[in-house]
Amino acid sequence: MSQIRTIEIKKSVFEDNTIKADELRKELKNQQTFLLNLMSSPGSGKTSTVMGTIDRMRDQFKMGVIEADIDSVVDAEKVASKGIPIVQLQTGGLCHVDATMTKEGLDGLKTKELDIVILENVGNLVCPAEFDTGASKNVMILSVPEGDDKPLKYPLMFSIVDALIINKIDCASYFDFDSKAVKERVMKLNPDIAFFEISAKTGEGLDSWTDWLCDQMVIWNR
């Protein structure tokens, strides 16, 4: 009987991506471009949050956006209405963006001319958490309708982000959502995480979120 050889493909893919992500981060640091990796499940309000962020920061910074989707340009068209540089990444079925894809998007944006780039990652709470994009900071959005149990179901995502945005607080009265429980569960996974409660629809809480983001950009450029 012939001997069967087992190859750890998953491990090697992750290791290779980590190397590329670190190289990309150094490149962005040298040119003083801040890359925000924004993750969430579908329908959480990522695009609306991106647009609200642009409205509050575009007068102060040169901004760009990378929209990542399995297919379509629906979200890209919405963001493009803001009149800032944007690149659409279509992953062709992949449920995540890795460092190589991110680099392609950044090259398309001519990053050296921009202060901040927002990567709107593929809507998914599993795969994007496993792949380092080379971002300066990782942030996720949890919307009220999704429920307060998501930190229990998707612990990796909540453990690797620098900030958690709780969106759609304007409709909290219609859902059984315990914000305090969410924070307690997340703090057990990630004690240093920052929290922001917002309504991308009404604009409530967005100023606090963008103030934090601006502070992170200052730290990044030191």
Side-chain angles (χ1 to χ4, degrees), residues 125-151:
L125 291 182
V126 181
C127 302
E130 298 180 327
F131 287 85
D132 190 344
T133 61
S136 311
K137 291 293 178 181
N138 296 297
V139 175
M140 75 160 292
I141 300 174
L142 173 67
S143 65
V144 167
E146 293 175 73
D148 53 35
D149 60 351
K150 293 301 176 289

Side-chain angles (χ1 to χ4, degrees), residues 15-51:
E15 287 181 349
D16 182 58
N17 181 72
T18 299
I19 293 170
K20 292 179 179 178
D22 287 339
E23 292 173 349
L24 179 55
R25 218 171 347 259
K26 290 177 182 177
E27 180 181 331
L28 292 170
K29 179 77 171 178
N30 289 336
Q31 67 187 41
Q32 294 197 319
T33 299
F34 186 96
L35 175 61
L36 172 68
N37 179 26
L38 188 60
M39 301 173 285
S40 76
S41 60
S44 67
K46 275 199 308 297
T47 304
S48 298
T49 301
V50 169
M51 295 175 72

Side-chain angles (χ1 to χ4, degrees), residues 8-205:
E8 295 289 343
I9 297 293
K10 185 175 181 181
K11 181 178 179 182
S12 64
V13 168
F14 286 164
E15 287 181 349
D16 182 58
N17 181 72
T18 299
I19 293 170
K20 292 179 179 178
D22 287 339
E23 292 173 349
L24 179 55
R25 218 171 347 259
K26 290 177 182 177
E27 180 181 331
L28 292 170
K29 179 77 171 178
N30 289 336
Q31 67 187 41
Q32 294 197 319
T33 299
F34 186 96
L35 175 61
L36 172 68
N37 179 26
L38 188 60
M39 301 173 285
S40 76
S41 60
S44 67
K46 275 199 308 297
T47 304
S48 298
T49 301
V50 169
M51 295 175 72
T53 301
I54 291 169
D55 287 341
R56 285 158 179 78
M57 296 180 64
R58 63 184 304 166
D59 291 339
Q60 188 176 358
F61 302 103
K62 295 178 182 177
M63 305 182 71
V65 173
I66 300 173
E67 282 287 343
D69 287 294
I70 292 175
D71 204 350
S72 90
V73 294
V74 174
D75 292 339
E77 289 175 344
K78 292 178 182 177
V79 177
S81 68
K82 295 295 181 180
I84 66 169
I86 183 167
V87 167
Q88 174 74 59
L89 291 181
Q90 292 186 346
T91 65
L94 294 176
C95 59
H96 67 274
V97 174
D98 61 21
T100 298
M101 299 176 199
T102 303
K103 180 66 164 63
E104 292 179 4
L106 292 169
D107 288 344
L109 279 175
K110 298 181 179 179
T111 318
K112 292 181 180 179
E113 301 175 4
L114 301 174
D115 300 311
I116 177 172
V117 174
I118 301 174
L119 166 61
E120 184 176 340
N121 213 314
V122 179
N124 191 313
L125 291 182
V126 181
C127 302
E130 298 180 327
F131 287 85
D132 190 344
T133 61
S136 311
K137 291 293 178 181
N138 296 297
V139 175
M140 75 160 292
I141 300 174
L142 173 67
S143 65
V144 167
E146 293 175 73
D148 53 35
D149 60 351
K150 293 301 176 289
L152 302 175
K153 295 182 177 181
Y154 305 96
L156 179 60
M157 174 63 78
F158 290 87
S159 67
I160 60 98
V161 294
D162 300 287
L164 171 63
I165 298 173
I166 299 176
N167 189 25
K168 303 186 181 181
I169 59 173
D170 53 298
C171 61
S173 61
Y174 299 99
F175 296 91
D176 185 17
F177 183 88
D178 190 336
S179 180
K180 181 180 179 182
V182 168
K183 293 178 180 178
E184 289 176 349
R185 290 164 181 167
V186 174
M187 287 290 287
K188 290 180 181 178
L189 299 167
N190 191 347
D192 298 323
I193 195 170
F195 292 97
F196 302 96
E197 297 188 23
I198 73 165
S199 168
K201 181 178 181 179
T202 67
E204 183 180 355

